[in-house]
Amino acid sequence: MAAPSLLNWRRVSSFTGPVPRARHGHRAVAIRELMIIFGGGNEGIADELHVYNTATNQWFLPAVRGDIPPGCAAHGFVCDGTRILVFGGMVEYGRYSNELYELQASRWLWKKVKPHPPSSGLPPCPRLGHSFSLYGNKCYLFGGLANESEDSNNNVPRYLNDFYELELQHGSGVVGWSIPVTKGVVPSPRESHTAVIYCKKDSGSPKMYVFGGMCGARLDDLWQLDLETMSWSKPETKGTVPLPRSLHTASVIGNKMYIFGGWVPYKGENAETSPHDSEWRCTSSFSYLNLDTTEWTTLVSDSQEDKKNSRPRPRAGHCAVAVGTRLYFWSGRDGYKKALNSQVCCKDLWYLDTEKPPAPSQVQLIKATTNSFHVKWDEVSTVEGYLLQLSTDLPYQTASSDSSAAPNLQGVRMDPHRQGSNNIIPNSISDTVNSAKTEQTAMKETSVKNKPDFKALTDSNAILYPSLASNASNHNSCVVDMLRKNEGPHSSANVGVLSSCLDVRTVIPETSVSSTVSSTQIMVTQQTIKTESSSTNGAVVKDETSLTTFSTKSEVDEYALPATKISRVETHATTTPFFKETPSNPVATMKGGERQWCDVGIFKNNTALVSQFYLLPKGKQSISKVGNADVPDYSLLKKQDLVPGTGYRFRVAAINGCGIGPFSKISEFKTCIPGFPGAPSAVRISKNVEGIHLSWEPPTSPSGNILEYSAYLAIRTSQIQDNPNQLVFMRIYCGLKTSCIVTAGQLANAHIDYTSRPAIVFRISAKNEKGYGPATQVRWLQGNNKKAPLN
């Protein structure tokens, strides 16, 4: 049986934007975080295209253009990248379609396409209730319901079990239909069934699984088609098979096919009624089939009542979409008996996390001061928060208050969609930390109402549980932060890091984080800087840090280079852990050598300003437990401030409706000591005849006179091949000017870093009377070019 946490349904209680009217017979697909819905019917067939952004909780109506298709219901609807295909469906009562339309969602452009007919046989006839499944560059059409009568007012149904293959062209357009020759017994004719395609990882051929449907009576049979051998079979299953049904949904996440809702037979008190004469009702039952073992597991049975409205009520003709490991369900026809001859469509939107979230990336350092860290980590999709923890070798005392209050996190209703609220847990402090993040995607030809886009809008981070972080300045615009890393000819310790990503070529800011450098000391010679382990204290930055902010479009334009010289620049955080296998203070370890971890707090977004942490309750070895998701009442715990010149280890775990996921790998950062210069800022790269021109702005916190700057280039060496995280740098400039030329000869020796997007890595640092301060790291994006960086 599945874990009970799997049934932790969430109802999205509030929306922004124009919410589509309730309906049934519609279809939906997902493109990244967007759920795109088309068609369906309720007092007429809908012809609008609606989009729901699962990240921003916003509905919007794209301004579509081109060959806009008529409204349809019970149609085929598949997604190939950002291209969507629509086939068939009912366009009005008794009149069905066999037309094919393509939507380029990046431009919201519709196009009617005309595939070539099969070399032998006829193309698919008009139909509804068919399955239309995509794998690779082919769509597979099976079954459906046709109208034998040419008179749409005289509907004579004919159930189908024909099978077609539609070959697609790359990017846009189709080739044509074909009728594959299949082996084995073909499934019986049916409509309103489901079909999914699944292929085992690293082995096996893709297989299409057909379940249920309607053919005078509801069906509960499972069929398998091997798409390589084109052989039909009826696999043997274990477990309890769901009741016969039609108009249900089937969604694949991992190796599981989730079946929800639909129409199921209902005999009432007359047990002798034949299946063809039986009434029907909707169901809210929920099961999954393990596609590797073909074993059914019932998560919600038909007999389970829901008196607390804690899950979707019974429905059929709804839509289901998988976004990551989260399932979204919207609308559909409510349950009723055939004899009542009435229908009500559901208006609700629900989601369900099917498994705990994966571990986030390592914590990255945005900025270090003498008594705080601004940290971030890569976002994990479809999560409700992040648990951040730290550990230190510095002696500290446990809290004297022995708190036994530890509410179970799985029992808490975390509603990230609730408007105007940052808290999800009682007794929490609603401090707000700036997100230092804006994500945008350019769609030059896209015209959409309500400002939709394929990227989530800026969302300032909020501490879901009380944070130890004090408020940071709130940036509503993109903050281009520079990586701060203490390295230079006369320093040996690493301090802060400030992360961001700037794509100058397209002038589209977005955030990103590069891989971790597993080193802590920078040893400098005339030619190279090599990273080696060390725990030596060294140069630091002051509390003030260098930030370049874009608050208006004109400022972005001012920053942009001329079009003929623009290059892609990405400033990233490269954390510099202070790895110590054996802690120097026994207070920081538990019995058996396991490290003690203290909670910083639970945060809504992927950034946090950390100045304190919660002390362990007296007699407890840890605060939060991943296994059973116990979380204490933070208001009853004491807090401890961060200390200057001290190393702290960090880890983070994501939280969703299934609980707390695994923790990330450990990162370690050191708080600063005053006196050293800050990092250079506002780095620009442009091409010229000699190579490239690299320029920067002085530190905003020089802490005295700047004596010189040094610029470094990551170069190819055998050491990097053995350990990609161990970068080797060559100094390419030393002087007072805030710019330099990097020659084509120097760039020919550059290392291309593939830890995220391919890039050449530069570092720039400033020196004052006390020594070199932290460096700004810049990743010059190279696209997919593995050769000449100037091409």
Side-chain angles (χ1 to χ4, degrees):
M1 294 293 291
S5 61
L6 183 62
L7 305 182
N8 201 354
W9 295 90
R10 302 279 200 259
R11 179 173 180 173
V12 183
S13 56
S14 60
F15 311 98
T16 59
V19 180
R21 74 178 189 267
R23 65 194 64 191
H24 62 97
H26 53 289
R27 299 289 186 262
V29 294
I31 299 180
R32 293 192 288 274
E33 70 271 22
L34 300 184
M35 180 171 71
I36 300 174
I37 296 170
F38 181 68
N42 182 17
E43 298 179 357
I45 295 177
D47 58 359
E48 315 97 357
L49 188 78
H50 289 269
V51 181
Y52 173 69
N53 188 319
T54 62
T56 63
N57 194 32
Q58 177 193 34
W59 287 99
F60 61 87
L61 278 164
V64 296
R65 56 198 177 90
D67 304 324
I68 301 174
C72 56
H75 47 287
F77 202 56
V78 297
C79 179
D80 175 29
T82 58
R83 164 174 60 172
I84 296 174
L85 293 170
V86 180
F87 174 75
M90 181 172 69
V91 292
E92 62 183 46
Y93 178 78
R95 188 167 74 86
Y96 309 151
S97 168
N98 63 348
E99 294 180 339
L100 181 67
Y101 289 85
E102 175 187 273
L103 172 68
Q104 291 291 340
S106 60
R107 295 176 290 163
W108 303 120
L109 177 65
W110 282 106
K111 180 182 178 182
K112 186 175 182 179
V113 292
K114 297 181 179 180
H116 294 296
S119 57
S120 60
L122 298 174
C125 65
R127 67 189 65 202
L128 60 73
H130 47 283
S131 60
F132 198 51
S133 309
L134 173 76
Y135 187 82
N137 68 330
K138 293 180 180 178
C139 289
Y140 297 93
L141 170 68
F142 175 73
L145 181 71
N147 186 359
E148 284 285 84
S149 174
E150 295 182 0
D151 181 6
S152 60
N153 295 321
N154 182 25
N155 195 8
V156 180
R158 175 169 63 96
Y159 295 99
L160 306 170
N161 65 345
D162 50 357
F163 179 61
Y164 286 87
E165 183 179 270
L166 176 66
E167 184 178 353
L168 310 181
Q169 292 178 348
H170 179 71
S172 178
V174 297
V175 178
W177 293 105
S178 63
I179 304 176
V181 177
T182 61
K183 306 171 187 176
V185 178
V186 178
S188 60
R190 65 193 64 206
E191 57 101 0
S192 298
H193 55 282
T194 56
V196 302
I197 298 177
Y198 170 73
C199 185
K200 286 185 180 180
K201 287 185 178 180
D202 304 323
S203 65
S205 58
K207 295 177 175 62
M208 185 172 77
Y209 293 87
V210 175
F211 176 72
M214 174 70 174
C215 186
R218 268 92 202 165
L219 305 170
D220 63 355
D221 49 350
L222 177 72
W223 293 84
Q224 173 185 288
L225 175 65
D226 188 311
L227 294 180
E228 285 190 359
T229 64
M230 285 295 166
S231 300
W232 285 103
S233 62
K234 201 169 182 181
E236 294 184 5
T237 63
K238 294 172 284 186
T240 303
V241 178
L243 286 178
R245 67 192 60 213
S246 63
L247 289 173
H248 53 286
T249 54
S251 308
V252 174
I253 296 178
N255 65 344
K256 298 179 178 66
M257 177 178 72
Y258 292 91
I259 301 293
F260 175 74
W263 290 342
V264 295
Y266 178 77
K267 294 184 179 180
E269 297 179 357
N270 185 4
E272 297 180 357
T273 304
S274 68
H276 288 269
D277 297 329
S278 64
E279 296 176 345
W280 51 266
R281 61 180 175 85
C282 289
T283 181
S284 60
S285 61
F286 188 47
S287 303
Y288 72 79
L289 176 70
N290 185 314
L291 297 171
D292 292 335
T293 63
T294 63
E295 180 175 6
W296 286 103
T297 298
T298 301
L299 301 174
V300 178
S301 69
D302 287 273
S303 60
Q304 286 180 256
E305 294 185 7
D306 179 26
K307 297 180 179 179
K308 298 181 180 180
N309 296 320
S310 60
R311 66 173 185 265
R313 68 181 187 264
R315 66 192 64 208
H318 52 284
C319 68
V321 163
V323 178
T325 59
R326 176 176 288 179
L327 270 176
Y328 282 85
F329 303 90
W330 182 70
S331 201
R333 181 182 296 184
D334 198 356
Y336 64 94
K337 294 182 180 181
K338 185 178 180 181
L340 297 180
N341 195 27
S342 63
Q343 69 178 47
V344 176
C345 286
C346 308
K347 300 179 181 179
D348 47 356
L349 173 65
W350 294 77
Y351 69 83
L352 177 73
D353 289 308
T354 60
E355 58 187 57
K356 290 183 178 181
S361 65
Q362 284 179 286
V363 176
Q364 309 287 331
L365 188 60
I366 296 175
K367 178 178 69 175
T369 69
T370 55
N371 59 3
S372 70
F373 296 111
H374 194 180
V375 297
K376 70 166 292 178
W377 50 91
D378 287 352
E379 286 186 333
V380 179
S381 63
T382 62
V383 298
E384 298 174 353
Y386 301 90
L387 170 64
L388 181 65
Q389 293 184 331
L390 66 73
S391 176
T392 180
D393 294 339
L394 189 72
Y396 58 86
Q397 297 178 348
T398 57
S400 58
S401 59
D402 186 4
S403 172
S404 59
N408 192 314
L409 184 63
Q410 292 172 327
V412 179
R413 303 299 295 180
M414 305 173 74
D415 187 3
H417 300 286
R418 187 172 54 197
Q419 298 295 313
S421 173
N422 292 327
N423 297 346
I424 58 166
I425 306 294
N427 304 318
S428 62
I429 302 171
S430 57
D431 294 335
T432 301
V433 177
N434 100 59
S435 65
K437 175 173 78 78
T438 296
E439 295 180 351
Q440 300 174 343
T441 298
M443 293 184 185
K444 295 181 180 178
E445 299 184 46
T446 302
S447 175
V448 185
K449 298 178 183 178
N450 298 319
K451 260 182 114 175
D453 211 333
F454 269 95
K455 284 298 223 177
L457 302 177
T458 301
D459 185 13
S460 60
N461 189 19
I463 300 159
L464 300 180
Y465 266 102
S467 169
L468 309 164
S470 55
N471 291 344
S473 59
N474 186 17
H475 298 284
N476 293 324
S477 59
C478 172
V479 180
V480 178
D481 304 331
M482 301 302 175
L483 166 129
R484 289 179 158 56
K485 183 165 181 280
N486 178 28
E487 53 188 58
H490 306 292
S491 65
S492 58
N494 300 280
V495 286
V497 180
L498 201 58
S499 75
S500 76
C501 161
L502 175 65
D503 186 339
V504 181
R505 184 183 66 187
T506 55
V507 203
I508 302 297
E510 61 177 23
T511 59
S512 183
V513 179
S514 70
S515 64
T516 299
V517 178
S518 56
S519 61
T520 61
Q521 183 179 10
I522 307 302
M523 305 297 295
V524 182
T525 65
Q526 280 300 102
Q527 296 299 321
T528 64
I529 303 174
K530 293 187 178 182
T531 54
E532 297 178 359
S533 296
S534 172
S535 59
T536 308
N537 292 332
V540 293
V541 292
K542 276 191 169 184
D543 290 0
E544 299 85 3
T545 58
S546 171
L547 294 178
T548 301
T549 62
F550 295 154
S551 59
T552 66
K553 181 65 169 63
S554 61
E555 291 179 24
V556 176
D557 291 339
E558 289 173 11
Y559 183 83
L561 303 172
T564 57
K565 296 183 179 180
I566 290 177
S567 301
R568 300 179 70 194
V569 179
E570 188 182 53
T571 53
H572 271 241
T574 303
T575 63
T576 307
F578 298 86
F579 288 112
K580 299 177 186 176
E581 297 300 330
T582 305
S584 58
N585 194 301
V587 177
T589 60
M590 297 189 292
K591 295 180 181 179
E594 187 178 350
R595 178 168 296 279
Q596 280 186 333
W597 290 94
C598 297
D599 288 6
V600 175
I602 295 181
F603 298 83
K604 180 180 178 182
N605 292 330
N606 63 326
T607 181
L609 184 60
V610 182
S611 61
Q612 298 173 311
F613 59 93
Y614 291 103
L615 295 176
L616 293 170
K618 190 174 181 179
K620 294 210 173 194
Q621 294 180 330
S622 65
I623 298 180
S624 296
K625 300 177 183 178
V626 177
N628 57 14
D630 286 339
V631 176
D633 183 348
Y634 286 118
S635 66
L636 301 179
L637 298 180
K638 290 187 177 180
K639 296 178 283 187
Q640 180 159 315
D641 294 334
L642 302 188
V643 179
T646 303
Y648 294 89
R649 295 171 179 85
F650 285 89
R651 66 179 188 178
V652 65
I655 306 167
N656 66 10
C658 291
I660 305 176
F663 278 98
S664 66
K665 293 180 180 179
I666 297 171
S667 300
E668 185 167 351
F669 317 115
K670 185 172 288 188
T671 48
C672 302
I673 302 172
F676 291 86
S681 62
V683 179
R684 295 172 173 85
I685 296 178
S686 60
K687 297 178 183 179
N688 62 19
V689 293
E690 300 177 65
I692 63 169
H693 182 258
L694 185 65
S695 64
W696 56 90
E697 296 293 333
T700 56
S701 54
S703 300
N705 295 323
I706 298 299
L707 303 180
E708 66 182 26
Y709 296 95
S710 286
Y712 306 93
L713 169 67
I715 59 172
R716 293 193 304 269
T717 67
S718 57
Q719 180 181 349
I720 295 182
Q721 293 176 355
D722 296 337
N723 184 359
N725 291 334
Q726 201 86 0
L727 297 180
V728 176
F729 286 82
M730 175 178 70
R731 184 155 66 176
I732 54 176
Y733 171 77
C734 182
L736 270 172
K737 290 184 177 181
T738 56
S739 65
C740 67
I741 298 295
V742 186
T743 66
Q746 291 170 326
L747 290 172
N749 294 318
H751 164 68
I752 306 295
D753 178 33
Y754 288 95
T755 52
S756 55
R757 288 175 286 183
I760 292 175
V761 182
F762 296 96
R763 287 177 181 169
I764 307 165
S765 58
K767 178 186 178 183
N768 64 9
E769 292 86 350
K770 197 163 185 177
Y772 271 91
T776 296
Q777 176 166 300
V778 179
R779 301 181 77 251
W780 181 30
L781 299 180
Q782 298 297 300
N784 295 320
N785 182 19
K786 297 184 179 181
K787 297 181 180 180
L790 290 175
N791 290 345

